[in-house]
Amino acid sequence: MTGEPPKPSRRERLRAQTLQEIEDNSFAIIDADGVHALSIAALARSMAMSAPAVYRYFPSRNALVEHLITLSYRQLTDAMAQAVHGSRRATRARIGLLVTAYRDWALRHRRRYGMLFGERGGDLPADAGGPTPLDQAMALLIDVLTAVGDGSRADATSGDRALDGQLGKWARSQERPDTSARVARVALMVWTRVHGIVSLELTGMFDDRSIDAQRLIDLEIDDAVRALSAPA
């Protein structure tokens, strides 16, 4: 016995291939016209399949969209993880790599990004009680920010002691129970501010080039580093 897992059957291979085609064709529809253009009927037409055949894979449009949301978050998280994998650069530079990967993915997949944070963005299902792909992306940011200054100190509060307990609970939900309240606060601030800038950029607010979105993001990163480097 070699200990190798059994090879998938022909039926399993065909099912996996069809699922991949469903994902690819669904994303093609979303990338072209947005998530609202996606329906089981439209997907079936694009694949030359019958709608009942698609329902064998997903019982409803909502189930399909939830699957695509999870998959998109995973793609975004993978892009961020790859950006810093094996990097020996300074912490400030690694934060920049993470944020740049986030922004680049959003600009490259504008309608998928809109799907994540739009009407159905809150429907991301948890993976059997474990961290979601969004949690994993946040954990990447927390890990890099923790390396700044003395952010792991237990007495490094957020500046609002009433908020510290809430931030601690949030950090535990990211599977980072040892994260200080100060690091958790800065991680949330970086995430929300970068998300806000990127969202405005995607809506065309900066199209006249009077404001450089990347410069705004760089300032947010610098502010985060200063906040974590300052004495608690």
Side-chain angles (χ1 to χ4, degrees):
M1 296 179 62
T2 64
E4 295 181 358
K7 293 182 179 180
S9 66
R10 182 174 183 276
R11 182 185 182 87
E12 291 170 334
R13 292 197 306 272
L14 289 174
R15 182 173 178 81
Q17 179 181 339
T18 302
L19 177 58
Q20 183 66 58
E21 291 175 3
I22 287 174
E23 293 170 351
D24 292 344
N25 280 270
S26 295
F27 279 134
I29 292 171
I30 292 170
D31 291 342
D33 299 306
V35 67
H36 297 297
L38 179 64
S39 67
I40 296 297
L43 174 62
R45 285 194 300 271
S46 72
M47 297 180 64
M49 289 177 64
S50 67
V54 177
Y55 281 118
R56 295 194 191 105
Y57 291 83
F58 295 96
S60 67
R61 178 188 181 275
N62 286 354
L64 173 60
V65 171
E66 288 175 0
H67 175 76
L68 296 172
I69 288 172
T70 299
L71 186 57
S72 295
Y73 270 124
R74 189 167 295 122
Q75 292 169 353
L76 173 57
T77 302
D78 288 347
M80 295 171 66
Q82 290 170 11
V84 295
H85 179 69
S87 175
R88 297 178 179 272
R89 299 176 67 178
T91 301
R92 166 62 177 82
R94 282 187 283 131
I95 297 172
L97 290 173
L98 273 179
V99 171
T100 295
Y102 178 92
R103 177 172 177 250
D104 287 349
W105 190 91
L107 295 177
R108 189 166 61 252
H109 302 292
R110 293 169 177 258
R111 290 194 165 99
R112 297 186 203 185
Y113 187 84
M115 174 181 68
L116 297 185
F117 298 102
E119 292 182 10
R120 303 198 57 78
D123 290 345
L124 178 65
D127 293 335
T132 68
L134 180 56
D135 292 332
Q136 293 162 7
M138 285 300 303
L140 287 170
L141 181 59
I142 289 171
D143 289 345
V144 176
L145 289 172
T146 299
V148 180
D150 198 16
S152 63
R153 285 172 46 191
D155 63 344
T157 73
S158 67
D160 180 345
R161 292 190 180 277
L163 185 63
D164 286 355
Q166 298 171 20
L167 291 168
K169 182 178 180 180
W170 175 80
R172 289 191 294 274
S173 76
Q174 312 304 309
E175 297 192 340
R176 294 298 185 273
D178 296 329
T179 301
S180 71
R182 185 161 61 156
V183 168
R185 172 183 173 272
V186 172
L188 283 169
M189 293 304 295
V190 170
W191 188 278
T192 55
R193 289 176 180 176
V194 170
H195 169 64
I197 292 169
V198 170
S199 296
L200 287 173
E201 185 177 16
L202 290 175
T203 60
M205 291 294 291
F206 306 143
D207 282 355
D208 61 1
R209 301 184 184 277
S210 61
I211 296 178
D212 186 336
Q214 185 59 56
R215 287 182 177 273
L216 289 175
I217 290 173
D218 288 342
L219 287 175
E220 294 298 339
I221 296 172
D222 291 339
D223 286 347
V225 172
R226 280 194 294 269
L228 290 175
S229 300

